[in-house]
């Protein structure tokens, strides 16, 4: 992926998020999109080696569209201002099963992330039950050196109070309060643009995330 041209294009799109500007530069977008598809194919192949049960659509099929759905949004900008892809262990690319996400965008909008965002009621109950039974497994992977190096700890929105069926003095109450279970590694523009091999770096960050995604997958299975 040619990152400087990508960031230049997306920076322009941030300032001119309108169809005429985009259409005049559609050839540039198509070229950048094709490069991103090649990277996505690479990341999928490497991830499948690290997490063999990965079952989502390969590479380019896992990429999100740049076109925004504005039907129910107050923000009527027609285009997203980043490129993104999600590799899931489920049958589709929707973020309804544990998976791996990368987003490339200027102004500090580059991230490598994963886990399960806003699980449904049944998934949430299953994850909390797994924490209740096997919290030591989760805490061990959250404190692993590589996980700490990139993610620092468990992210995601939390309840202010203890969830139903769990006492406020439960020893793992802070983990049980989570409504989402995600790990996020943010990168500055300078870090992205100066990196010698960002494509390989993404794989290394994903490697640190694999045990976390596997824990969540076992919980919701």
């Amino acid at each position: 992926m040619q990152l400087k041209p990508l960031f230049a294009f997306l920076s322009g799109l941030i300032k001119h998020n309108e169809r005429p500007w985009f259409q005049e530069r559609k050839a540039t977008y198509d070229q950048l999109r094709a490069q991103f598809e090649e990277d996505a194919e690479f990341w999928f192949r490497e991830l499948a080696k690290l997490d063999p049960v990965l079952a989502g659509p390969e590479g380019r099929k896992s990429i999100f569209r740049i076109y925004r759905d504005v039907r129910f949004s107050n923000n009527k900008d027609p285009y997203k201002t980043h490129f993104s892809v999600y590799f899931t262990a489920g049958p589709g690319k929707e973020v309804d099963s544990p998976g791996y996400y990368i987003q490339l965008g200027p102004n500090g909008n580059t991230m490598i992330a994963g886990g399960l965002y806003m699980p449904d009621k049944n998934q949430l109950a299953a994850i909390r039950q797994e924490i209740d039974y096997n919290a030591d497994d989760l805490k061990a992977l959250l404190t692993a050196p590589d996980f700490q190096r990139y993610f620092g700890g468990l992210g995601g929105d939390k309840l202010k109070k203890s969830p139903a069926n769990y006492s406020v003095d439960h020893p793992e109450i802070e983990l049980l309060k989570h409504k989402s279970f995600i790990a996020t590694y943010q990168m500055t523009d300078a870090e992205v643009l100066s990196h010698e091999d960002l494509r390989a770096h993404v794989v290394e960050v994903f490697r640190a995330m694999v045990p976390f995604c596997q824990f969540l997958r076992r919980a919701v299975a």
Side-chain angles (χ1 to χ4, degrees):
M1 185 86 221
Q2 295 182 8
L3 294 167
K4 289 183 179 179
L6 173 64
F7 275 30
F9 173 81
L10 292 174
S11 294
L13 185 58
I14 290 171
K15 297 177 181 177
H16 306 281
N17 201 319
E18 53 201 29
R19 191 172 186 278
W21 187 95
F22 185 87
Q23 287 302 117
E24 289 176 4
R25 295 157 181 82
K26 184 65 163 50
T28 299
Y29 165 75
D30 289 341
Q31 183 181 36
L32 294 168
R33 163 86 184 203
Q35 294 174 9
F36 190 63
E37 288 176 354
E38 291 180 6
D39 286 351
E41 295 285 357
F42 171 81
W43 289 324
F44 180 85
R45 291 194 303 269
E46 295 303 308
L47 261 175
K49 298 174 187 176
L50 300 172
D51 195 354
V53 302
L54 204 66
E58 296 184 13
R60 67 192 63 214
K61 295 179 182 179
S62 301
I63 296 174
F64 290 101
R65 289 161 48 88
I66 199 169
Y67 308 99
R68 296 183 62 251
D69 184 351
V70 301
R71 291 174 298 172
F72 309 107
S73 174
N74 291 328
N75 179 359
K76 299 302 181 181
D77 289 345
Y79 305 106
K80 300 172 185 175
T81 54
H82 58 260
F83 280 19
S84 58
V85 59
Y86 183 72
F87 305 102
T88 176
K93 74 177 178 183
E94 296 300 324
V95 288
D96 56 2
S97 61
Y100 307 85
Y101 176 77
I102 179 168
Q103 173 178 302
L104 297 176
N107 300 338
N109 286 318
T110 295
M111 70 174 73
I112 306 168
L116 187 55
Y117 176 72
M118 295 301 290
D120 64 32
K121 181 179 179 180
N122 292 333
Q123 290 175 322
L124 186 56
I127 294 171
R128 284 176 174 157
Q129 179 177 284
E130 188 70 15
I131 293 172
D132 189 24
Y133 292 168
N134 298 303
D136 287 346
D137 291 351
L138 177 59
K139 290 191 290 187
L141 65 88
L142 293 178
T143 56
D146 284 346
F147 192 93
Q148 283 289 308
R149 175 186 176 190
Y150 293 119
F151 310 113
L154 179 62
D157 292 338
K158 299 172 64 175
L159 296 170
K160 293 182 179 180
K161 299 181 179 180
S162 58
N165 303 321
Y166 293 99
S167 169
V168 67
D169 58 359
H170 190 290
E172 312 303 339
I173 193 61
E174 291 307 313
L175 290 174
L176 292 167
K177 285 181 180 179
H178 276 268
K179 297 187 291 182
S180 289
F181 298 84
I182 57 176
T184 304
Y185 170 58
Q186 297 277 161
M187 297 184 70
T188 67
D189 293 5
E191 289 172 330
V192 175
L193 296 174
S194 64
H195 212 287
E196 292 183 1
D197 190 347
L198 182 67
R199 193 162 76 160
H201 183 59
V202 169
V203 175
E204 289 307 304
V205 177
F206 280 155
R207 185 191 303 275
M209 193 190 302
V210 168
F212 175 58
C213 285
Q214 290 175 335
F215 176 90
L216 294 174
R217 192 180 307 127
R218 288 196 303 271
V220 301

